[in-house]
């Protein structure tokens, strides 16, 4: 299960995500349609790549901020642009 509870992300005066709440139950199919930057922020918040200003994101009951290892073990995410470099 994926659960977003009153998620907010601000960058200075810009509100990128505003009070987003959502529950996706086990076995449910979900698609997100949004302009690319906003969709990207939602996914980065859900995966723990960026921290929310307020609110919570949980994966299978595990909070992505307080229990990141447990949450990430239950999620697969392939970003458009990787966050690492290969030397």
């Amino acid at each position: 299960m994926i659960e977003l509870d009153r998620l907010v992300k601000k960058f200075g005066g810009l509100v990128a995500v505003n009070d987003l709440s959502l529950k996706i139950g086990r076995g449910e199919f979900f698609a997100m349609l949004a302009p690319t930057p906003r969709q990207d922020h939602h996914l980065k918040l859900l995966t723990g790549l960026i921290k929310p200003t307020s609110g919570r994101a949980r994966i299978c009951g595990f909070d992505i901020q307080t229990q990141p290892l447990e949450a990430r073990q239950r999620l697969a995410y392939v970003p458009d642009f990787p966050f690492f470099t290969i030397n």
Side-chain angles (χ1 to χ4, degrees):
M1 174 197 269
I2 295 174
E3 188 176 357
L4 306 178
D5 183 29
R6 304 199 69 182
L7 213 56
V8 174
K9 180 59 183 177
K10 296 179 182 178
F11 296 96
L14 174 71
V15 179
V17 177
N18 189 19
D19 199 31
L20 176 64
S21 294
L22 170 71
K23 280 188 181 181
I24 305 168
R26 183 178 178 174
E28 290 183 345
F29 180 81
F30 178 79
M32 184 184 306
L33 300 174
T36 303
R38 287 193 180 136
Q39 183 179 11
D40 193 42
H41 291 319
H42 296 144
L43 293 174
K44 286 180 182 176
L45 286 165
L46 178 62
T47 58
L49 294 174
I50 59 174
K51 293 184 178 188
T53 304
S54 64
R56 296 180 170 256
R58 293 184 195 91
I59 300 167
C60 297
F62 296 103
D63 188 297
I64 192 68
Q65 295 301 312
T66 60
Q67 300 168 295
L69 219 56
E70 293 88 346
R72 288 183 182 143
Q73 288 174 340
R74 289 153 178 86
L75 181 71
Y77 172 65
V78 180
D80 290 343
F81 300 99
F83 287 88
F84 60 90
T85 58
I86 300 173
N87 294 328

